[in-house]
Amino acid sequence: MKKIFKRMFGSQSTTSTIELEEIEIDATEFNVTTYTPNTDTTIVYLPAIDFHSERFGRRPQRLLKALAEVGYNVIYINSSDEFYQVDALEYPHPELQNFVVARVGHNVRTLFQGDRVIYWVNDSRLASSVETAYPDLVVFDSLTDRDQYEKHKHKMEAVADVVFITPERIYEHGKYCSHVHLVTADEFEIKERAEQVAQIIDALPNRMAPLM
């Protein structure tokens, strides 16, 4: 029996020690690290795309959900262009109580949390309204819609503190504007894109308060 085991596993006394080369692994290469927002922040999505709409591949809905998963408090003010929201507030993701869909016209100020409020804009026609509302930060997530969302895109880009565009949405001046960033929203990489957005907006200072 001992001879059989020696044949299978060898003799401990005669087995030589093999030194293995130490291999260093870069953890970031495998995306095992995550980014945590630096501030307690509320992102308010101004009404443009209905939450249940399939337009634009649900880019705003998926990206904002991912930002809630990162840790932001997200208030999605719903548009009534396609569907009517019966309840004043909806929580479509039970596991994310920091993501709420509010019916347009409902006062959401009581839902603000933290010390920073960010307005997230798709509709470029809101440029003048956003400029006079004095949020801490304005994000323009630029969408391609010549009949509606592109009418005032240049003004909205000037008003916004940061502009996010998709590959289909790249224009030449975007290469030379430091506040324009390419952010894709493919489903398989949505978590990485949310962390990319989080790092960009956390690094930006708040807008100047109006002089009274």
Side-chain angles (χ1 to χ4, degrees), residues 53-109:
S53 175
E54 297 294 332
R55 299 180 67 190
F56 304 104
R58 294 182 61 81
R59 171 192 167 90
Q61 298 94 316
R62 292 190 291 108
L63 188 53
L64 287 165
K65 179 192 175 187
L67 286 168
E69 292 172 338
V70 168
Y72 291 106
N73 180 46
V74 177
I75 303 172
Y76 192 109
I77 301 180
N78 213 359
S79 169
S80 58
D81 290 344
E82 296 183 56
F83 308 98
Y84 177 75
Q85 181 171 326
V86 177
D87 298 327
L89 300 175
E90 292 182 359
Y91 292 86
H93 310 294
E95 75 281 6
L96 289 174
Q97 289 300 299
N98 58 325
F99 185 100
V100 59
V101 179
R103 185 176 62 212
V104 64
H106 181 74
N107 190 338
V108 298
R109 190 165 294 277

Side-chain angles (χ1 to χ4, degrees), residues 152-178:
H152 306 283
K153 66 179 181 181
H154 296 299
K155 183 176 181 180
M156 189 67 243
E157 288 166 359
V159 169
D161 300 287
V162 61
V163 179
F164 297 135
I165 58 177
T166 60
E168 303 82 19
R169 194 68 185 79
I170 298 174
Y171 10 94
E172 284 300 314
H173 75 273
K175 299 177 182 179
Y176 308 102
C177 297
S178 61

Side-chain angles (χ1 to χ4, degrees), residues 107-133:
N107 190 338
V108 298
R109 190 165 294 277
T110 58
L111 301 175
F112 290 1
Q113 296 179 18
D115 55 3
R116 199 181 203 198
V117 176
I118 296 176
Y119 281 3
W120 190 285
V121 184
N122 281 145
D123 192 341
S124 62
R125 297 173 300 177
L126 298 175
S128 298
S129 300
V130 167
E131 194 171 20
T132 57

Side-chain angles (χ1 to χ4, degrees), residues 33-43 63-74 98 113-116 118 137 191 193-204:
T33 59
T34 58
Y35 178 77
T36 302
N38 295 328
T39 58
D40 294 327
T41 302
T42 293
I43 296 178
L63 188 53
L64 287 165
K65 179 192 175 187
L67 286 168
E69 292 172 338
V70 168
Y72 291 106
N73 180 46
V74 177
N98 58 325
Q113 296 179 18
D115 55 3
R116 199 181 203 198
I118 296 176
L137 207 67
K191 182 176 182 294
R193 297 292 76 77
E195 292 178 2
Q196 175 190 357
V197 169
Q199 293 183 63
I200 292 171
I201 62 179
D202 280 350
L204 291 173

Side-chain angles (χ1 to χ4, degrees), residues 15-23:
T15 303
S16 60
T17 303
I18 301 175
E19 294 185 1
L20 299 177
E21 182 182 355
E22 185 177 350
I23 301 175

